[in-house]
PDB file of all heavy atoms in Angstrom:
ATOM      1  N   GLY A 254       9.991  13.467  36.775  1.00 46.00           N
ATOM      2  CA  GLY A 254       9.008  13.169  37.797  1.00 46.00           C
ATOM      3  C   GLY A 254       8.019  12.104  37.402  1.00 46.00           C
ATOM      4  O   GLY A 254       6.944  12.029  37.968  1.00 46.00           O
ATOM      5  N   THR A 255       8.316  11.255  36.420  1.00 44.00           N
ATOM      6  CA  THR A 255       7.369  10.230  36.012  1.00 44.00           C
ATOM      7  C   THR A 255       7.606   8.908  36.717  1.00 44.00           C
ATOM      8  O   THR A 255       6.920   7.949  36.439  1.00 44.00           O
ATOM      9  CB  THR A 255       7.470   9.999  34.493  1.00 44.00           C
ATOM     10  OG1 THR A 255       8.816   9.659  34.156  1.00 44.00           O
ATOM     11  CG2 THR A 255       7.075  11.240  33.738  1.00 44.00           C
ATOM     12  N   ARG A 256       8.541   8.853  37.658  1.00 47.00           N
ATOM     13  CA  ARG A 256       8.759   7.615  38.394  1.00 47.00           C
ATOM     14  C   ARG A 256       9.129   7.948  39.836  1.00 47.00           C
ATOM     15  O   ARG A 256       9.529   9.066  40.154  1.00 47.00           O
ATOM     16  CB  ARG A 256       9.872   6.780  37.764  1.00 47.00           C
ATOM     17  CG  ARG A 256      11.261   7.404  37.900  1.00 47.00           C
ATOM     18  CD  ARG A 256      12.284   6.488  37.268  1.00 47.00           C
ATOM     19  NE  ARG A 256      13.631   7.003  37.426  1.00 47.00           N
ATOM     20  CZ  ARG A 256      14.444   6.687  38.424  1.00 47.00           C
ATOM     21  NH1 ARG A 256      14.027   5.889  39.376  1.00 47.00           N
ATOM     22  NH2 ARG A 256      15.659   7.192  38.491  1.00 47.00           N
ATOM     23  N   SER A 257       9.005   7.006  40.710  1.00 47.00           N
ATOM     24  CA  SER A 257       9.377   7.160  42.100  1.00 47.00           C
ATOM     25  C   SER A 257      10.609   6.317  42.355  1.00 47.00           C
ATOM     26  O   SER A 257      10.514   5.101  42.544  1.00 47.00           O
ATOM     27  CB  SER A 257       8.233   6.702  43.007  1.00 47.00           C
ATOM     28  OG  SER A 257       7.072   7.455  42.752  1.00 47.00           O
ATOM     29  N   PRO A 258      11.812   6.898  42.324  1.00 46.00           N
ATOM     30  CA  PRO A 258      13.043   6.125  42.417  1.00 46.00           C
ATOM     31  C   PRO A 258      13.108   5.338  43.716  1.00 46.00           C
ATOM     32  O   PRO A 258      13.131   5.893  44.799  1.00 46.00           O
ATOM     33  CB  PRO A 258      14.145   7.204  42.368  1.00 46.00           C
ATOM     34  CG  PRO A 258      13.483   8.416  41.795  1.00 46.00           C
ATOM     35  CD  PRO A 258      12.071   8.334  42.228  1.00 46.00           C
ATOM     36  N   GLY A 259      13.146   4.027  43.632  1.00 54.00           N
ATOM     37  CA  GLY A 259      13.315   3.183  44.798  1.00 54.00           C
ATOM     38  C   GLY A 259      12.039   2.879  45.544  1.00 54.00           C
ATOM     39  O   GLY A 259      11.978   1.937  46.324  1.00 54.00           O
ATOM     40  N   GLY A 260      10.960   3.664  45.371  1.00 80.00           N
ATOM     41  CA  GLY A 260       9.721   3.425  46.053  1.00 80.00           C
ATOM     42  C   GLY A 260       9.715   4.017  47.453  1.00 80.00           C
ATOM     43  O   GLY A 260      10.741   4.377  48.029  1.00 80.00           O
ATOM     44  N   LEU A 261       8.497   4.120  48.012  1.00 86.00           N
ATOM     45  CA  LEU A 261       8.346   4.729  49.332  1.00 86.00           C
ATOM     46  C   LEU A 261       8.996   3.897  50.427  1.00 86.00           C
ATOM     47  O   LEU A 261       9.559   4.442  51.381  1.00 86.00           O
ATOM     48  CB  LEU A 261       6.859   4.922  49.629  1.00 86.00           C
ATOM     49  CG  LEU A 261       6.140   5.987  48.794  1.00 86.00           C
ATOM     50  CD1 LEU A 261       4.652   5.980  49.089  1.00 86.00           C
ATOM     51  CD2 LEU A 261       6.721   7.365  49.071  1.00 86.00           C
ATOM     52  N   ALA A 262       8.930   2.572  50.314  1.00 86.00           N
ATOM     53  CA  ALA A 262       9.527   1.710  51.346  1.00 86.00           C
ATOM     54  C   ALA A 262      11.032   1.935  51.435  1.00 86.00           C
ATOM     55  O   ALA A 262      11.597   2.044  52.529  1.00 86.00           O
ATOM     56  CB  ALA A 262       9.216   0.252  51.040  1.00 86.00           C
ATOM     57  N   ALA A 263      11.689   2.033  50.287  1.00 83.00           N
ATOM     58  CA  ALA A 263      13.132   2.285  50.288  1.00 83.00           C
ATOM     59  C   ALA A 263      13.444   3.666  50.842  1.00 83.00           C
ATOM     60  O   ALA A 263      14.450   3.865  51.543  1.00 83.00           O
ATOM     61  CB  ALA A 263      13.690   2.136  48.873  1.00 83.00           C
ATOM     62  N   LEU A 264      12.587   4.649  50.539  1.00 82.00           N
ATOM     63  CA  LEU A 264      12.787   5.998  51.050  1.00 82.00           C
ATOM     64  C   LEU A 264      12.678   6.029  52.571  1.00 82.00           C
ATOM     65  O   LEU A 264      13.509   6.652  53.261  1.00 82.00           O
ATOM     66  CB  LEU A 264      11.751   6.929  50.425  1.00 82.00           C
ATOM     67  CG  LEU A 264      11.779   8.398  50.862  1.00 82.00           C
ATOM     68  CD1 LEU A 264      13.101   9.044  50.482  1.00 82.00           C
ATOM     69  CD2 LEU A 264      10.620   9.152  50.224  1.00 82.00           C
ATOM     70  N   VAL A 265      11.682   5.353  53.104  1.00 86.00           N
ATOM     71  CA  VAL A 265      11.509   5.302  54.555  1.00 86.00           C
ATOM     72  C   VAL A 265      12.682   4.584  55.206  1.00 86.00           C
ATOM     73  O   VAL A 265      13.204   5.014  56.243  1.00 86.00           O
ATOM     74  CB  VAL A 265      10.175   4.616  54.898  1.00 86.00           C
ATOM     75  CG1 VAL A 265      10.091   4.312  56.395  1.00 86.00           C
ATOM     76  CG2 VAL A 265       9.001   5.486  54.471  1.00 86.00           C
ATOM     77  N   GLU A 266      13.125   3.479  54.613  1.00 84.00           N
ATOM     78  CA  GLU A 266      14.250   2.727  55.176  1.00 84.00           C
ATOM     79  C   GLU A 266      15.523   3.573  55.175  1.00 84.00           C
ATOM     80  O   GLU A 266      16.315   3.524  56.139  1.00 84.00           O
ATOM     81  CB  GLU A 266      14.467   1.454  54.366  1.00 84.00           C
ATOM     82  CG  GLU A 266      15.582   0.556  54.885  1.00 84.00           C
ATOM     83  CD  GLU A 266      15.352   0.110  56.312  1.00 84.00           C
ATOM     84  OE1 GLU A 266      14.173  -0.035  56.722  1.00 84.00           O
ATOM     85  OE2 GLU A 266      16.355  -0.082  57.036  1.00 84.00           O
ATOM     86  N   GLN A 267      15.730   4.353  54.143  1.00 79.00           N
ATOM     87  CA  GLN A 267      16.904   5.224  54.095  1.00 79.00           C
ATOM     88  C   GLN A 267      16.854   6.238  55.233  1.00 79.00           C
ATOM     89  O   GLN A 267      17.873   6.536  55.866  1.00 79.00           O
ATOM     90  CB  GLN A 267      16.956   5.941  52.749  1.00 79.00           C
ATOM     91  CG  GLN A 267      18.115   6.931  52.620  1.00 79.00           C
ATOM     92  CD  GLN A 267      18.047   7.748  51.347  1.00 79.00           C
ATOM     93  OE1 GLN A 267      17.188   7.516  50.512  1.00 79.00           O
ATOM     94  NE2 GLN A 267      18.940   8.698  51.204  1.00 79.00           N
ATOM     95  N   THR A 268      15.658   6.794  55.492  1.00 82.00           N
ATOM     96  CA  THR A 268      15.522   7.770  56.577  1.00 82.00           C
ATOM     97  C   THR A 268      15.765   7.103  57.934  1.00 82.00           C
ATOM     98  O   THR A 268      16.353   7.706  58.840  1.00 82.00           O
ATOM     99  CB  THR A 268      14.127   8.407  56.530  1.00 82.00           C
ATOM    100  OG1 THR A 268      13.876   8.909  55.209  1.00 82.00           O
ATOM    101  CG2 THR A 268      14.011   9.548  57.520  1.00 82.00           C
ATOM    102  N   ARG A 269      15.318   5.874  58.089  1.00 84.00           N
ATOM    103  CA  ARG A 269      15.581   5.149  59.331  1.00 84.00           C
ATOM    104  C   ARG A 269      17.072   4.942  59.540  1.00 84.00           C
ATOM    105  O   ARG A 269      17.580   5.072  60.666  1.00 84.00           O
ATOM    106  CB  ARG A 269      14.861   3.801  59.306  1.00 84.00           C
ATOM    107  CG  ARG A 269      13.340   3.884  59.437  1.00 84.00           C
ATOM    108  CD  ARG A 269      12.698   2.549  59.176  1.00 84.00           C
ATOM    109  NE  ARG A 269      11.240   2.592  59.297  1.00 84.00           N
ATOM    110  CZ  ARG A 269      10.423   1.642  58.857  1.00 84.00           C
ATOM    111  NH1 ARG A 269      10.935   0.557  58.235  1.00 84.00           N
ATOM    112  NH2 ARG A 269       9.125   1.755  59.023  1.00 84.00           N
ATOM    113  N   GLN A 270      17.784   4.624  58.461  1.00 78.00           N
ATOM    114  CA  GLN A 270      19.221   4.441  58.571  1.00 78.00           C
ATOM    115  C   GLN A 270      19.925   5.727  58.986  1.00 78.00           C
ATOM    116  O   GLN A 270      21.013   5.685  59.565  1.00 78.00           O
ATOM    117  CB  GLN A 270      19.787   3.942  57.242  1.00 78.00           C
ATOM    118  CG  GLN A 270      19.374   2.525  56.888  1.00 78.00           C
ATOM    119  CD  GLN A 270      19.907   2.097  55.532  1.00 78.00           C
ATOM    120  OE1 GLN A 270      20.582   2.858  54.851  1.00 78.00           O
ATOM    121  NE2 GLN A 270      19.579   0.876  55.138  1.00 78.00           N
TER     122      GLN A 270
END
Side-chain angles (χ1 to χ4, degrees):
T255 56
R256 68 179 183 93
S257 301
L261 291 174
L264 179 62
V265 169
E266 182 59 31
Q267 177 187 355
T268 308
R269 289 171 180 166
Q270 291 177 0

